[in-house]
Amino acid sequence: MTNSLRPYGNRRTPLPPAQSPAPGVPSPRTKTRQSDRPAPSGKRRDAFFDNAKYLAIVLVAVGHAWEPLKGDSRTLEAAYTVVYTFHMPAFIIISGFFSRSFDMRPDRLRRLVTGVAVPYIVFETAYPLFKRFVDDDPQQEISLLDPWYLTWFLVALFVWRLTTPIWNAVRHPLPLALGIAMLASVTPEIGDDLDLQRVLQFLPYFVLGLCMRPEHFHRVRRRSVRIASVPVFAVALAVGWWAVPRMNTAWFYHRDAAQELGAPWWVGPVMVLALFGCSLLLTACFFAWVPRRRMWFTALGAGTLYGYLLHGFVVKAGDYQGWFEHSALRGPLGWTAVSVLAVVLVTLLCTKPVQRVFRFAMEPRMEWAFKRDAAELARERERREKRETREKVSV
């Protein structure tokens, strides 16, 4: 995640329900800190969430850059495993948090179509065409039913957001979502259409985001949590290093059932619960280190979907052209250089100039495709009448 996690496009994020404080505003019992005060000029964007989105998308790009190199090093693969444990869950939790007020109102449905469905169609077509020409593979098929590389997230976000009213209505949404994910992990018959395994197995993170309130994020942003997160990440790296020869990395992708990974069926539900717990722990540690104040990269958090969808072309070009096979990249210095380049690349792709160039594909204006909502027309007519009344009074 309109952009990756800006479910309402260029509109300001709506305030949450009155019983919970708005993002960036502490609860009445919490001492107000300078970094937690609302932004001036009436802006309601919380720097914390934009910072978190940017840092999460950086980890996504770095992880994709590591993928062609990790087979040469147990250490790099351990780091890759740790990153894959929490970077997408963090991204998805924030997506759910900012989808809490989604309903079937016509304007929100229009934004869902133009900001999620249309980019999916565009990039699901563009990536196979890119492979045809850059990898000289004219047989590469184009299929809207088989999400290609990064586009699965758009399918998932579309489905999750459409089902948001249901999750807001049921009594125990998170246990229900976990149950669905566990059932999916033992059902290989689901197949690959629309990458439904990922949609269902990542579902609990989105539902968790729907259930969260601003104060939950404040709890993990305490100094004590930041200090505790250091040994937690150290232990996670050690466990990742130990698990490299013993565990299939595909478990972290959540795209296959247990039977497809050569495991007994009962391992699927166990792994869903185990990875959910590990992901939440590392995600909390990640959130603890996200800056709360405005940083030089805060504004880039509004363009994370651009960075997410566009960086894949460069990574895939490198894979097709053999860039990652260079001997200079087979060592710590090479891994560091690739990581830095990935960070620079995705940072540039989140900037305003790139957003202006690719807005036609990511946030197209499609008023011609939709009927005018009667309520919207009434509001527009009311605003016009008020404006005319003010003009008459001023005269």
Side-chain angles (χ1 to χ4, degrees):
M1 344 337 257
T2 185
N3 43 52
S4 89
L5 303 174
R6 287 170 73 201
Y8 306 108
N10 292 323
R11 293 180 56 167
R12 293 172 179 168
T13 304
L15 288 172
Q19 64 267 24
S20 60
V25 180
S27 64
R29 297 184 180 182
T30 305
K31 184 179 179 181
T32 301
R33 291 178 295 218
Q34 184 67 29
S35 58
D36 290 331
R37 291 175 184 167
S41 304
K43 294 181 180 179
R44 298 190 181 101
R45 294 191 71 90
D46 188 331
F48 168 80
F49 292 106
D50 280 331
N51 292 339
K53 290 189 292 182
Y54 167 77
L55 294 174
I57 205 64
V58 163
L59 291 174
V60 169
V62 170
H64 288 152
W66 283 351
E67 191 167 351
L69 304 173
K70 65 184 178 65
D72 296 333
S73 168
R74 185 172 178 178
T75 301
L76 185 63
E77 185 149 3
Y80 175 89
T81 299
V82 171
V83 167
Y84 263 72
T85 304
F86 73 90
H87 71 344
M88 284 310 296
F91 214 65
I92 295 167
I93 286 172
I94 297 176
S95 294
F97 179 75
F98 283 103
S99 298
R100 291 173 300 158
S101 60
F102 181 86
D103 53 27
M104 294 301 177
R105 214 172 69 184
D107 59 329
R108 290 174 178 169
L109 288 174
R110 287 199 297 269
R111 285 194 294 274
L112 182 63
V113 171
T114 58
V116 179
V118 171
Y120 171 73
I121 295 171
V122 171
F123 283 88
E124 183 63 14
T125 304
Y127 269 110
L129 289 176
F130 184 76
K131 180 173 172 58
R132 283 188 185 184
F133 291 104
V134 177
D135 197 30
D136 193 21
D137 183 10
Q139 303 304 316
Q140 175 64 47
E141 295 183 355
I142 299 175
S143 172
L144 297 181
L145 294 178
D146 187 14
W148 210 85
Y149 193 34
L150 302 170
T151 57
W152 72 268
F153 179 71
L154 296 176
V155 173
L157 187 60
F158 187 87
V159 173
W160 295 334
R161 198 165 286 161
L162 272 184
T163 60
T164 293
I166 298 175
W167 301 113
N168 286 336
V170 298
R171 189 179 295 274
H172 302 293
L174 186 56
L176 177 58
L178 278 170
I180 292 174
M182 293 164 68
L183 287 174
S185 71
V186 299
T187 314
E189 294 81 7
I190 290 177
D192 297 327
D193 287 351
L194 297 179
D195 228 343
L196 285 179
Q197 277 288 357
R198 271 178 165 166
V199 173
L200 297 177
Q201 290 194 37
F202 274 115
L203 173 65
Y205 302 100
F206 183 82
V207 174
L208 176 62
L210 291 175
C211 298
M212 293 183 72
R213 295 293 179 264
E215 56 267 28
H216 297 141
F217 291 95
H218 283 285
R219 291 173 187 170
V220 300
R221 290 154 60 179
R222 294 177 295 188
R223 185 171 181 270
S224 59
V225 180
R226 286 199 299 274
I227 294 173
S229 67
V230 176
V232 169
F233 270 117
V235 171
L237 285 169
V239 172
W241 188 88
W242 173 85
V244 165
R246 298 175 174 86
M247 182 178 175
N248 190 341
T249 309
W251 285 107
F252 296 92
Y253 303 149
H254 295 285
R255 66 186 179 197
D256 299 296
Q259 299 91 322
E260 295 173 294
L261 297 177
W265 69 268
W266 57 267
V267 175
V270 172
M271 288 300 293
V272 166
L273 292 177
L275 288 176
F276 185 73
C278 293
S279 297
L280 289 191
L281 178 62
L282 293 183
T283 298
C285 294
F286 167 72
F287 284 150
W289 281 96
V290 172
R292 290 167 287 181
R293 64 185 184 278
R294 289 193 65 82
M295 308 289 289
W296 64 267
F297 54 79
T298 301
L300 301 177
T304 48
L305 187 60
Y306 290 82
Y308 176 78
L309 290 174
L310 294 173
H311 86 275
F313 289 104
V314 180
V315 174
K316 281 300 181 183
D319 192 21
Y320 299 152
Q321 300 299 313
W323 300 345
F324 295 102
E325 297 173 6
H326 199 284
S327 59
L329 301 181
R330 304 298 172 175
L333 288 178
W335 308 333
T336 302
V338 168
S339 302
V340 171
L341 289 174
V343 172
V344 172
L345 171 67
V346 79
T347 298
L348 292 174
L349 293 176
C350 291
T351 58
K352 291 292 184 182
V354 174
Q355 292 180 45
R356 284 194 292 269
V357 171
F358 290 97
R359 185 163 287 130
F360 75 94
M362 312 288 281
E363 300 175 88
R365 299 180 62 85
M366 298 178 59
E367 290 85 351
W368 54 268
F370 301 99
K371 296 179 180 178
R372 295 294 301 274
D373 179 34
E376 183 179 345
L377 289 172
R379 288 193 295 270
E380 184 177 317
R381 184 166 55 251
E382 183 180 357
R383 287 194 298 269
R384 186 169 59 250
E385 290 174 353
K386 287 181 178 180
R387 185 170 61 252
E388 291 174 353
T389 301
R390 286 196 300 269
E391 290 175 353
K392 290 179 180 178
V393 171
S394 64
V395 172

